[in-house]
Amino acid sequence: MHTEEKMHTQEKMMSLAPSGLRPFRLFVAVLAMIVLSTVKPAYAQQFERFQVGSGGVTPLSVAIMSISGGGRDLSEIISNDLSRSGLFQPIDSKAFVEQVGPDAAPNFDSWKTLNAQFVVSGRVVPAASGLSIQIRVWDIDQGKQIAGQQFTTSAGNWRQLAHVAANTVFKAATGEPGAFDTRVAFIAESGPKDKRVKRLAVMDQDGANVVYLSRGTDLVLTPRFSPTSQELTYLSFADADPRVFLANVQTGQRETVGNFPGMTFSPRFSPDGRQVIMSLENNGASTINVMNLQTHQNAQLTQGSAIDTSPSYSPDGSRIVFESDRGGTQQIYIMGADGSNQQRITSSDDGARYSTPVWSPRSDYIAFTRQKGGKFGIGIMKPDGSGETMLTEGFHNEGPTWAPNGLYVMWFRDLGQGPQLWQTSIFGTPEQRVPTPGFASDPAWSTDMASQN
């Protein structure tokens, strides 16, 4: 067998959380074996030339063979993941020129007649700890295998195998990490509009495996993941007293970060997970404050009579982006992590107001909500305020959150009946609704991509 046809195997063991919290799993051991071949996909160079917000992305054509075993067929989940990304177009299996086995190379010339760019094959096999998936990605133009991996998990986590396989395809074809094996925290909403029940919930990024972390007896808002994605910080109005809580997503246990005078808004972790930054209201003003989770010491970063809120750290923790009305309207500002050098990066010359800024994990963009002319849009801009690009606009869009690969943005949209979750890429690929059991708002994407570490 030629070197490029051999399987580069990387076994990754995943443990399950308690049965009631099955979605909250983490990788507990990694065994990396020798890399037998490294082939840079030709498409990775094209991916780098994509224009942000262009909307002119031509999806990659990919043929996904039946990948099954152990009583599970994971092909549909892999196909759905890639299709929803907006960067791939799976070929209908009825048009396949052949069925490619898990250990065989495809007939490259035959697949070129279908204009296929990639073929994905593999198998699911029983393992001592549950199930394993073996996955191969073939580049038709290059006539080579460009990825081969194996992942192992417990049988109850079989959907995760499909997601990490989709990540393998995404990275092999684009040169960028996928974000299919990730979770989203959100506020699940149910009931009539005037008596809406809001519960803290977490699900897989495709809407599966929903688990509720609160009962709906107290109002909960703004969940945010810790850097390890094993804890959430959120705001709860228990007994009409707003408090910031930490919830462990594996055990369901929670603790109070602290009781603060007045109202508290928008708690969010620092990149190292050691601090929580938030805004505190007092006498009509709101300031940005940061609390050390070990010492519980609180430092105030902004002063004055303005409303400063929605703080978000840069990935390296050196800067903070936030919104403020200190100039008369809601605009976006940046400052140092210690509160120094506060600078406005947006302009109100056209009457636009900006809110809910959040820094991309790649550091290159800040996502935001913009209100202008009665419309609420979700956009991105560079950290100096340049390159503003609107990803969506409409009646009511709000609350952007980044996928951990920094290529996708999720938000919630309310057209009057109730909020729903939507996502798109920074390239302006078609918007996709994220399925949830009922109404949903305040999404927060997990920060980890454990399957690709």
Side-chain angles (χ1 to χ4, degrees):
M1 181 180 292
H2 296 296
T3 301
E4 63 267 19
E5 295 178 359
K6 294 181 180 179
M7 176 73 76
H8 163 212
T9 302
Q10 192 174 41
E11 295 183 355
K12 302 188 176 185
M13 304 295 296
M14 295 168 275
S15 71
L16 278 177
S19 59
L21 296 172
R22 179 166 291 175
F24 310 129
R25 68 281 179 194
L26 71 159
F27 296 80
V28 296
V30 177
L31 174 62
M33 299 180 69
I34 186 170
V35 178
L36 298 178
S37 65
T38 301
V39 181
K40 183 176 182 179
Y43 191 70
Q45 297 177 357
Q46 180 180 348
F47 187 83
E48 294 168 357
R49 294 197 297 267
F50 280 168
Q51 297 297 310
V52 170
S54 66
V57 175
T58 300
L60 292 168
S61 177
V62 57
I64 303 171
M65 300 294 107
S66 176
I67 301 175
S68 60
R72 299 292 185 183
D73 188 337
L74 307 188
S75 309
E76 183 176 0
I77 298 175
I78 298 171
S79 179
N80 289 341
D81 279 347
L82 295 174
S83 178
R84 291 179 62 250
S85 76
L87 298 181
F88 292 84
Q89 178 59 58
I91 298 173
D92 190 332
S93 61
K94 296 178 181 178
F96 286 0
V97 296
E98 63 175 339
Q99 292 294 326
V100 180
D103 298 316
N107 185 320
F108 297 103
D109 289 336
S110 296
W111 285 102
K112 289 179 180 178
T113 63
L114 275 185
N115 295 318
Q117 292 167 277
F118 300 94
V119 169
V120 179
S121 61
R123 61 160 68 94
V124 179
V125 295
S129 58
L131 292 175
S132 288
I133 187 170
Q134 298 170 356
I135 189 81
R136 296 177 186 265
V137 184
W138 304 88
D139 187 312
I140 299 303
D141 290 337
Q142 295 191 72
K144 295 180 179 180
Q145 176 181 307
I146 58 173
Q149 291 184 308
Q150 178 170 317
F151 301 92
T152 302
T153 186
S154 58
N157 247 349
W158 62 273
R159 289 183 61 88
Q160 190 178 19
L161 288 179
H163 293 320
V164 296
N167 283 342
T168 298
V169 180
F170 191 97
K171 188 170 185 178
T174 68
E176 298 288 341
F180 304 118
D181 180 35
T182 55
R183 294 164 290 176
V184 175
F186 65 102
I187 302 301
E189 303 190 18
S190 59
K193 192 171 184 178
D194 59 342
K195 295 182 180 180
R196 194 63 54 85
V197 175
K198 296 188 176 185
R199 292 187 289 173
L200 181 64
V202 180
M203 65 182 180
D204 293 350
Q205 56 79 32
D206 62 350
N209 291 327
V210 176
V211 173
Y212 299 98
L213 297 180
S214 69
R215 298 178 179 178
T217 54
D218 303 323
L219 176 63
V220 290
L221 298 171
T222 60
R224 299 292 182 262
F225 275 105
S226 72
T228 64
S229 294
Q230 300 309 312
E231 285 186 312
L232 285 170
T233 180
Y234 66 98
L235 188 64
S236 175
F237 285 79
D239 300 322
D241 181 22
R243 291 184 292 174
V244 176
F245 282 90
L246 291 180
N248 187 297
V249 295
Q250 285 191 286
T251 66
Q253 294 180 336
R254 70 175 189 173
E255 62 178 287
T256 305
V257 173
N259 292 310
F260 306 98
M263 298 288 287
T264 310
F265 301 97
S266 309
R268 190 185 294 270
F269 283 96
S270 62
D272 61 11
R274 297 176 181 176
Q275 302 179 105
V276 169
I277 194 168
M278 67 199 84
S279 59
L280 303 181
E281 186 272 336
N282 189 18
N283 296 325
S286 176
T287 59
I288 305 297
N289 293 254
V290 60
M291 171 172 279
N292 185 299
L293 291 176
Q294 292 182 330
T295 66
H296 282 243
Q297 290 184 331
N298 180 45
Q300 183 176 324
L301 302 183
T302 64
Q303 295 78 31
S305 59
I307 297 177
D308 301 334
T309 188
S310 299
S312 172
Y313 280 98
S314 61
D316 65 1
S318 66
R319 293 182 289 173
I320 296 168
V321 63
F322 63 101
E323 68 173 89
S324 176
D325 68 351
R326 63 183 65 182
T329 60
Q330 289 172 288
Q331 300 296 318
I332 296 178
Y333 291 74
I334 285 180
M335 63 181 173
D338 60 356
S340 63
N341 195 25
Q342 299 179 19
Q343 301 178 32
R344 178 170 157 177
I345 63 171
T346 54
S347 170
S348 59
D349 294 342
D350 60 356
R353 291 185 289 171
Y354 296 82
S355 59
T356 64
V358 57
W359 221 303
S360 164
R362 299 163 69 99
S363 300
D364 50 357
Y365 288 100
I366 291 170
F368 57 85
T369 301
R370 186 182 77 172
Q371 184 180 0
K372 180 183 177 183
K375 293 183 178 180
F376 290 79
I378 303 297
I380 57 176
M381 66 176 65
K382 295 180 180 179
D384 62 1
S386 65
E388 180 175 316
T389 301
M390 299 309 296
L391 301 179
T392 188
E393 290 187 276
F395 175 67
H396 189 176
N397 300 282
E398 192 175 352
T401 181
W402 288 97
N405 63 6
L407 300 179
Y408 292 87
V409 175
M410 187 181 297
W411 70 96
F412 70 95
R413 171 183 294 156
D414 192 341
L415 299 179
Q417 300 300 316
Q420 296 177 326
L421 305 187
W422 292 79
Q423 73 175 57
T424 187
S425 73
I426 62 174
F427 310 114
T429 48
E431 298 175 8
Q432 301 281 342
R433 191 174 81 81
V434 182
T436 54
F439 298 133
S441 61
D442 272 341
W445 224 314
S446 64
T447 58
D448 67 315
M449 291 186 292
S451 67
Q452 298 177 72
N453 290 339

